[in-house]
């Protein structure tokens, strides 16, 4: 069994780095004029039946919605800024119908999930044209990690605006509490964090400016009331589904226990006073009801560097503790034993520079290149463990994310990082570096996908590249085909190229969107 460190010790290095590298000017908050808060609303939910299949119908459209306490015209799913939750389970299937009622193209990415990128899977090379329908069928491996994930537009050149507007929503893979029977039955809450830029027109902004005045919401609400009893233990899934903003969240006056990061359960007790939740990140925490009364859930101010964004703090929600005190539930079971990838040999080491263009303020580069749909930048053999050193010579943070797999952060600015679990995104400090170990082992990921900065302004500006994971016997051919898009094309299954991967068993035949591929 792993040693349980004292509170905050296991994340001390990371927490210190967060505070330092965000250059945050304290945790001051800007309190808006008092409004009548309402209880937190849970999102509407698509869930699975006995067959393990979740059917979800998502209609994207431009419509009038409530964003916090104000009315806006925005792009949303199912006529609600509080997007529906898709619930699934390890070994389950998500069968999703994307009805694009917008006057612009779109698509979907299932962030953090280890599912196939091929055909009608998590294939960001597909796009659904305006007023057309796309179908997604995704089968989760039986050992898929339970936790919080999300779905969102990954249409290159338009993802920032669409995600900021509301084309994004939460996913839960059930089973996170299974290793801890002593927590069975505790209340779980989904808290989807968003940042919506205010406009004078009452419509979603055509050009997003992260530092501009904005509305910070939880499940589409401003400062909702979250009910709890004194001593009660609740599990909160906090998901940053905004386009660009970092959320520094704290429950004023008390620590919380981190149970999972990016859908990956940690391997030991981890306590913290504040959570830095970068764009696309998720944190699942155990919160204990404080003494009776109202307690602020706060968002600290942020500064992502001289060339980055600055934003003021705010109050996100109210934690209302009331009723009779109850016994606190605490973890007594062993934490999952995880493979420490820093102790394993690597097949290859690569280096990537995430950099702002010196000549074009709207261009962002990886190793001097902007994103190109038509080429593959990196070819990896299935089964390999690789080490990637990610450098950031620019004067602002960049947020690294890779599709289809997780990774382990081993170093920040060449200093070792304590191993508490895996991630699928992490920020690269301004003028600094990150070292990660990435396992390309699960055959589910055979295909072509991307790694990029998850500040979506930077992704849309070109800070994204393509990786193909191939069987070892296909490696030489795949290298030769890199300039032509690799062996998977637009991720079609192809028996001629023998790139079929695993047999995908889904309840309905896979199909391309009616509007076709780009």
């Amino acid at each position: 069994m792993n040693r349980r460190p004292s509170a905050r010790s296991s994340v001390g290095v990371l927490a210190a780095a967060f505070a330092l590298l965000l250059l945050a000017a304290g945790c001051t908050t800007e309190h808006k004029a008092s409004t009548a808060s309402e209880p937190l609303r849970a999102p509407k939910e698509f869930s699975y039946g006995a067959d393990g299949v979740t059917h979800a119908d998502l209609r994207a459209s431009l419509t009038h919605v409530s964003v916090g306490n104000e009315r806006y015209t925005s792009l949303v799913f199912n006529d609600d800024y509080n997007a529906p939750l898709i619930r699934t389970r390890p070994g389950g299937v998500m069968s999703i119908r994307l009805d694009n009622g917008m006057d612009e193209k779109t698509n979907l990415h299932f962030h953090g999930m280890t599912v196939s990128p091929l055909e009608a899977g998590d294939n960001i090379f597909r796009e659904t044209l305006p007023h057309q329908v796309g179908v997604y069928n995704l089968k989760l491996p039986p050992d898929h990690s339970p936790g919080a994930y999300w779905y969102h537009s990954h249409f290159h050149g338009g993802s920032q605006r669409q995600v900021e507007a509301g084309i994004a929503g939460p996913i839960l893979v059930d089973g996170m509490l299974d290793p801890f029977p002593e927590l069975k039955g505790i209340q779980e809450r989904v808290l989807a964090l968003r940042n919506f830029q205010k406009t004078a027109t009452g419509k979603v902004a055509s050009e997003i400016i992260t530092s501009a005045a904005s509305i910070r919401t939880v499940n589409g609400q401003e400062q909702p009331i979250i009910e709890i009893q004194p001593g009660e233990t609740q599990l909160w899934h906090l998901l940053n589904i905004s386009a660009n903003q970092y959320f520094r969240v704290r429950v004023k006056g008390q620590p919380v226990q981190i149970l999972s990061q990016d859908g990956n359960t940690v391997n030991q007790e981890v306590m913290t006073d504040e959570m830095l939740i970068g764009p696309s990140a998720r944190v699942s925490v155990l919160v204990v009801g404080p003494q009776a009364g109202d307690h602020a859930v706060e968002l600290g101010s942020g500064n992502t560097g001289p060339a980055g964004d600055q934003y003021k703090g705010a109050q996100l929600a109210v934690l209302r503790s009331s009723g009779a005190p109850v016994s606190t539930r605490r973890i007594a079971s062993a934490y999952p034993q995880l493979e420490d990838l820093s102790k394993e040999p690597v097949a290859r080491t690569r280096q990537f520079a995430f950099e702002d263009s010196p000549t074009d303020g709207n261009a962002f580069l990886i190793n001097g290149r902007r994103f190109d749909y038509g080429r593959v930048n990196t070819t990896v053999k299935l089964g390999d463990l690789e080490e990637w050193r990610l450098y950031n010579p620019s004067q602002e943070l960049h947020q690294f994310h890779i599709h289809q797999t997780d990774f382990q952060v081993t170093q920040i600015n060449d200093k070792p990082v304590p191993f508490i679990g895996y991630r699928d995104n992490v920020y690269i400090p301004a003028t600094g570096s990150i070292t990660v170990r990435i396992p390309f082992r699960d055959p589910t990921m055979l295909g072509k996908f991307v790694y990029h900065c998850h500040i979506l302004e930077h992704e849309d500006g070109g800070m994204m590249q393509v990786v193909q994971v191939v069987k070892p016997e296909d490696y030489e051919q795949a290298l030769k085909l890199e300039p032509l898009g690799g062996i998977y094309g637009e991720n079609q299954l192809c028996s001629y190229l023998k790139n079929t991967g695993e047999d995908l068993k889904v309840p309905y035949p896979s199909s391309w969107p009616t509007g076709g591929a780009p």
Side-chain angles (χ1 to χ4, degrees):
M1 182 173 177
N2 286 296
R3 176 181 64 86
R4 290 192 182 184
S6 61
R8 302 168 195 75
S9 65
S10 64
V11 288
V13 172
L14 286 174
F18 290 162
L20 217 62
L21 298 169
L22 267 180
L23 310 174
C27 240
T28 57
T29 56
E30 181 185 64
H31 294 275
K32 58 179 285 181
S34 177
T35 57
S37 296
E38 297 180 349
L40 179 73
R41 295 192 299 267
K44 296 177 182 178
E45 184 173 318
F46 294 107
S47 193
Y48 51 89
D51 59 358
V53 179
T54 303
H55 298 278
D57 290 301
L58 300 175
R59 175 173 170 77
S61 64
L62 180 69
T63 189
H64 299 287
V65 292
S66 293
V67 179
N69 300 314
E70 302 181 36
R71 292 289 288 178
Y72 276 89
T73 301
S74 195
L75 302 169
V76 297
F77 285 120
N78 298 6
D79 299 322
D80 195 340
Y81 186 63
N82 185 18
L85 168 69
I86 298 176
R87 186 181 292 271
T88 184
R89 69 185 189 192
V93 169
M94 298 189 300
S95 184
I96 297 171
R97 183 178 184 271
L98 172 62
D99 182 355
N100 182 11
M102 303 184 294
D103 292 331
E104 55 193 82
K105 61 184 177 180
T106 192
N107 64 2
L108 287 180
H109 166 51
F110 302 88
H111 184 109
M113 305 193 77
T114 302
V115 290
S116 175
L118 297 173
E119 288 269 324
D122 184 24
N123 182 358
I124 61 97
F125 298 96
R126 298 167 51 196
E127 291 173 348
T128 301
L129 298 179
H131 309 286
Q132 300 291 331
V133 173
V135 175
Y136 292 84
N137 288 311
L138 306 106
K139 181 171 177 58
L140 281 66
D143 60 350
H144 196 287
S145 180
Y149 301 86
W150 63 300
Y151 58 93
H152 64 87
S153 164
H154 213 292
F155 151 47
H156 182 61
S159 63
Q160 175 187 213
R161 177 174 172 273
Q162 290 191 354
V163 170
E164 180 89 358
I167 304 301
I171 298 172
L172 276 186
V173 178
D174 282 343
M176 182 185 296
L177 295 180
D178 289 355
F180 311 109
E182 57 273 21
L183 299 181
K184 183 178 180 180
I186 67 172
Q187 181 160 9
E188 293 188 53
R189 297 189 185 275
V190 172
L191 284 75
L193 309 179
R194 275 197 167 133
N195 181 55
F196 188 93
Q197 184 177 322
K198 292 185 176 182
T199 63
T201 63
K203 297 181 179 179
V204 61
S206 57
E207 182 176 350
I208 306 302
I209 303 172
T210 302
S211 296
S214 62
I215 306 171
R216 285 76 171 268
T217 63
V218 182
N219 292 0
Q221 299 171 261
E222 282 189 90
Q223 299 187 30
I225 297 170
I226 305 174
E227 300 279 0
I228 199 169
Q229 289 179 256
E232 178 190 359
T233 302
Q234 294 186 359
L235 176 59
W236 292 7
H237 303 289
L238 296 103
L239 304 91
N240 184 348
I241 63 172
S242 67
N244 301 319
Q245 182 166 345
Y246 289 80
F247 284 82
R248 295 173 57 222
V249 181
R250 68 179 184 185
V251 179
K252 190 173 182 180
Q254 71 176 79
V256 297
Q257 181 177 350
I258 296 176
L259 190 59
S260 172
Q261 301 179 108
D262 302 335
N264 294 283
T265 304
V266 297
N267 64 3
Q268 57 190 275
E269 182 180 89
V270 181
M271 304 295 295
T272 187
D273 295 315
E274 182 177 87
M275 297 159 281
L276 176 69
I277 311 174
S280 82
R282 292 88 61 215
V283 182
S284 298
V285 297
L286 296 174
V287 179
V288 176
Q291 64 184 14
D294 285 356
H295 305 263
V297 180
E298 295 181 334
L299 170 66
S301 56
N303 182 334
T304 64
D309 300 304
Q310 297 79 42
Y311 32 85
K312 296 179 180 180
Q315 182 163 313
L316 276 179
V318 175
L319 179 61
R320 177 163 294 169
S321 183
S322 62
V326 297
S327 298
T328 299
R329 306 268 203 101
R330 302 191 187 279
I331 291 178
S333 302
Y335 287 82
Q337 302 300 295
L338 306 176
E339 180 185 8
D340 185 347
L341 301 177
S342 70
K343 302 183 184 304
E344 299 296 323
V346 297
R348 181 162 182 171
T349 298
R350 304 180 193 263
Q351 298 185 10
F352 299 88
F354 286 65
E355 52 196 327
D356 298 357
S357 169
T359 58
D360 183 348
N362 295 316
F364 300 89
L365 317 171
I366 299 178
N367 287 356
R369 286 181 177 271
R370 295 184 77 173
F371 177 64
D372 180 355
Y373 260 118
R375 71 171 293 121
V376 168
N377 306 92
T378 304
T379 299
V380 177
K381 294 178 184 177
L382 179 67
D384 281 357
L385 172 66
E386 294 201 351
E387 179 173 274
W388 289 14
R389 296 174 59 83
L390 313 174
Y391 295 93
N392 179 7
S394 61
Q395 295 289 323
E396 62 176 319
L397 300 185
H398 293 303
Q399 185 83 10
F400 172 73
H401 168 58
I402 186 168
H403 292 202
Q404 317 312 133
T405 186
D406 297 306
F407 54 78
Q408 179 181 332
V409 180
T410 59
Q411 293 182 334
I412 298 177
N413 289 336
D414 297 320
K415 295 181 179 179
V417 173
F419 175 51
I420 60 173
Y422 307 126
R423 305 293 303 272
D424 66 44
N425 73 91
V426 66
Y427 74 84
I428 315 171
T431 66
S433 67
I434 291 283
T435 303
V436 299
R437 295 277 180 98
I438 308 177
F440 295 95
R441 293 172 173 169
D442 194 321
T444 302
M445 73 179 69
L446 277 169
K448 188 168 77 168
F449 46 94
V450 293
Y451 49 92
H452 59 89
C453 177
H454 219 291
I455 297 172
L456 295 184
E457 175 191 9
H458 300 175
E459 176 197 308
D460 282 344
M463 192 173 276
M464 179 160 67
Q465 290 191 343
V466 177
V467 56
Q468 60 180 349
V469 177
V470 304
K471 297 176 182 178
E473 58 267 30
D474 295 333
Y475 183 72
E476 295 302 325
Q477 181 189 33
L479 282 178
K480 294 176 182 177
L481 291 176
E482 281 185 347
L484 302 177
I487 67 171
Y488 294 98
E490 291 165 350
N491 271 345
Q492 303 100 323
L493 295 170
C494 179
S495 58
Y496 174 74
L497 291 175
K498 301 180 181 178
N499 64 5
T500 52
E502 292 187 314
D503 183 23
L504 302 180
K505 299 184 186 304
V506 293
Y508 303 108
S510 296
S511 63
W512 292 87
T514 305

